[in-house]
Every structure is written in structure tokens, then in C-alpha cells.
């Protein structure tokens, strides 16, 4: 069962929104994690420094919170590792063909009232709902 954490969730959402606004204000860039990460892979983008700093911060910040607080992250997956890898590859393909991920379209694009991002986010959500329904109710899975 998932814990109900409205305060932490609100704080996390506010920080995501703030970081997206600051990235747009100071660099004129959309905070789409896939695009940011892609710029770190060969051929490396000329603006790799801020990309590396953002990805490093996304890894280091939660580690610091866990180190200096009493919070912990319990993680257990009933899904076998090969299925997780296949799912990751499918999501990666969707990100490529969707020209972005939920962070770029869902957070930044919808905030700019981009019709393309609204359609992409609606498609992401509908696909997720159908996938969960099929796996849980039709296939009797996880």
C-alpha cells in the first residue's frame, strides 16, 4: 500500500515546478529530463555543463535527504528484472516517438498551454490507465 504524504508530495511538486521555471528563466530551456540527458550522451551538446549539473543534482539531492533525515525509501518490485528492462525500452521508444517525456510535456508544456503537450500528456495518461487495467484485470498480474 502506498503511504499518503500530501505535505511531502506538495513540496516535491513545488520544487519540480520551481526548477522548471528557473531553467526556463536562466537558460531558456524546457525541463524535459530526456532531452537534458540526451545532451550528455555522444555527441555531447555544447551546453553540457548545466545538463550535467541538473542530472547530478537529481541524483545527489535525494541521497542527501536520505542521509540527513529519518526518511527511507522502501522499494520492492514484484516484476522480474527482464520485464523491467523491456518496459524501460518501450518507454524509451515512446519518448523518442512522442518527442519528449512527461517532464517536458506534462510539467513545462502544459504550463505553457501547448496543445501538442496537452495531447501528449493525455496520451501518456490514457496509455498508463489502459496498461494497468490490462495487466491487473485481464492478465491477472502484478
Amino acid at each position: 500500500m502506498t503511504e499518503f504524504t500530501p505535505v511531502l508530495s506538495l513540496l516535491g511538486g513545488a520544487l519540480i515546478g520551481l526548477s522548471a521555471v528557473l531553467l526556463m528563466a536562466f537558460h531558456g530551456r524546457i525541463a524535459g529530463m530526456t532531452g537534458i540527458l540526451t545532451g550528455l550522451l555522444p555527441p555531447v551538446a555544447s551546453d553540457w555543463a548545466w545538463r550535467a549539473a541538473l542530472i547530478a543534482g537529481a541524483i545527489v539531492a535525494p541521497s542527501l535527504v536520505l542521509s540527513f533525515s529519518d526518511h527511507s525509501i522502501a522499494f520492492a518490485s514484484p516484476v522480474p528484472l527482464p520485464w523491467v528492462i523491456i518496459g524501460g525500452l518501450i518507454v524509451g521508444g515512446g519518448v523518442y516517438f512522442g518527442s519528449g517525456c512527461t517532464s517536458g510535456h506534462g510539467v513545462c508544456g502544459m504550463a505553457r498551454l501547448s496543445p501538442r503537450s496537452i495531447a501528449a500528456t493525455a496520451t501518456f495518461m490514457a496509455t498508463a490507465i489502459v496498461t494497468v487495467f490490462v495487466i491487473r484485470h485481464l492478465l491477472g498480474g502484478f
Side-chain angles (χ1 to χ4, degrees), residues 64-139:
L64 290 174
V65 168
L66 292 175
S67 297
F68 295 111
S69 72
D70 61 347
H71 292 285
S72 65
I73 299 173
F75 178 79
S77 175
V79 180
L81 183 59
W83 286 34
V84 172
I85 293 169
I86 290 168
L89 292 172
I90 291 170
V91 168
V95 165
Y96 176 78
F97 290 114
S99 299
C101 58
T102 52
S103 58
H105 285 301
V107 175
C108 298
M110 288 184 60
R112 294 180 301 118
L113 300 177
S114 163
R116 180 172 157 242
S117 291
I118 292 169
T121 304
T123 302
F124 297 153
M125 296 304 295
T127 302
I129 291 166
V130 169
T131 300
V132 169
F133 179 82
V134 168
I135 289 174
R136 288 194 176 170
H137 301 290
L138 300 181
L139 299 178

Side-chain angles (χ1 to χ4, degrees), residues 22-29 50:
L22 291 175
L23 185 61
M24 179 61 81
F26 290 116
H27 293 284
R29 301 300 308 246
W50 72 262

